[in-house]
Amino acid sequence: MSEFVRNVRLWFAPEGVRQEGVTPDYRFSLANERTFLAWLRTALALIGGGFAVDQFLPDLRWGWRVGLALALLAAGVLCSLRAVNHWVRCERAMRRGEDLPVSRFPALLGVVVAVVAVAMVVVVLVGWEG
Amino acid sequence: MSGDRDPGLQPERTRLAWRRTTLSGTVAAVLGMKAALHGGASAPAIAACVACGGLWLGFLVLAHQRIRVLASTTAPPALHPRRATAAALCTVALAVCAAALVI
């Protein structure tokens, strides 16, 4: 947890990142930046999905609709916060010449998206019958 | 300057990644504005619509500044952590806006 707090401090005090180690090859930094942007796009897609559930499934019961939309939005928030955190961690690891950090977040997100998708299928089928 | 261009076109690819991300943000913001104005143009609906538009504009400015830096040199400096945080916070704020609209 203290590691996470230290990372959050680095988001807002960027000088801390640049003081450590040596500047890596700019191409590695740019690749890290593109990975960050790809995660941000994933987050934006999840948020767009949340809006879409709310807008385009109006026949669903209120609870299901709001629940699914909020689950997607929460996943989007987590995804974007994690994107910055992972970017900072990778940048620091590269500066220090360490291995890049591993993460179980992609697997977790995959499971969450799969669960939401299955819930969506069930809800739409049940919604049409009722 | 274009003589020692990076054969992997890393700056260009990164520039296009910022463009793609802006485009994704545009889709999310448009969906948000549509959701906001769905139930008629009341004062809170217009406020939510303006918030979505403002967040989109904020992200566009962040992305455009970075794109200009990437386009200006062949070995651009690394992304500034403050810009990365600001971009992520724009996304989070859009999600908060969405949650407020859904409930």
Side-chain angles (χ1 to χ4, degrees):
Chain A
M1 197 61 202
S2 65
E3 173 74 14
F4 178 73
V5 170
R6 214 143 43 86
N7 280 336
V8 170
R9 211 169 289 147
L10 277 180
W11 300 1
F12 296 102
E15 297 77 21
V17 177
R18 295 200 171 160
Q19 275 165 7
E20 291 182 59
V22 292
T23 305
D25 187 330
Y26 77 96
R27 284 170 294 185
F28 299 153
S29 290
L30 289 181
N32 192 18
E33 181 176 342
R34 286 199 297 278
T35 309
F36 164 69
L37 288 172
W39 277 111
L40 217 53
R41 281 198 295 283
T42 309
L44 283 166
L46 286 166
I47 292 168
F51 274 128
V53 165
D54 185 47
Q55 280 284 292
F56 301 118
L57 296 176
D59 298 334
L60 283 184
R61 255 189 294 144
W62 185 84
W64 275 102
R65 192 162 52 90
V66 170
L68 277 176
L70 286 185
L72 284 169
L73 291 174
V77 169
L78 270 181
C79 201
S80 61
L81 290 180
R82 187 264 179 189
V84 201
N85 196 45
H86 196 72
W87 177 79
V88 166
R89 284 173 67 198
C90 285
E91 203 72 15
R92 268 206 315 182
M94 286 195 297
R95 296 193 73 97
R96 290 170 174 174
E98 294 168 355
D99 286 345
L100 290 185
V102 290
S103 166
R104 59 174 83 86
F105 184 84
L108 271 177
L109 183 68
V111 169
V112 168
V113 168
V115 167
V116 168
V118 168
M120 216 92 118
V121 168
V122 169
V123 154
V124 169
L125 285 178
V126 170
W128 271 339
E129 278 174 12
Chain B
M1 198 157 217
S2 58
D4 51 8
R5 179 190 285 277
D6 170 19
L9 296 179
Q10 301 271 354
E12 284 79 358
R13 279 160 62 191
T14 312
R15 216 172 64 206
L16 290 172
W18 275 103
R19 284 254 184 266
R20 283 200 295 280
T21 311
T22 312
L23 210 59
S24 303
T26 308
V27 171
V30 166
L31 277 171
M33 286 176 174
K34 184 183 179 302
L37 295 179
H38 192 62
S42 60
I46 290 174
C49 192
V50 168
C52 284
L55 287 169
W56 174 75
L57 211 61
F59 193 91
L60 186 70
V61 169
L62 284 171
H64 205 75
Q65 286 171 349
R66 181 64 183 155
I67 284 171
R68 286 242 301 265
V69 171
L70 287 169
S72 63
T73 60
T74 44
L79 176 64
H80 204 280
R82 208 164 276 159
R83 185 179 303 281
T85 309
L89 286 184
C90 269
T91 313
V92 171
L94 195 62
V96 170
C97 208
L101 282 171
V102 166
I103 292 172

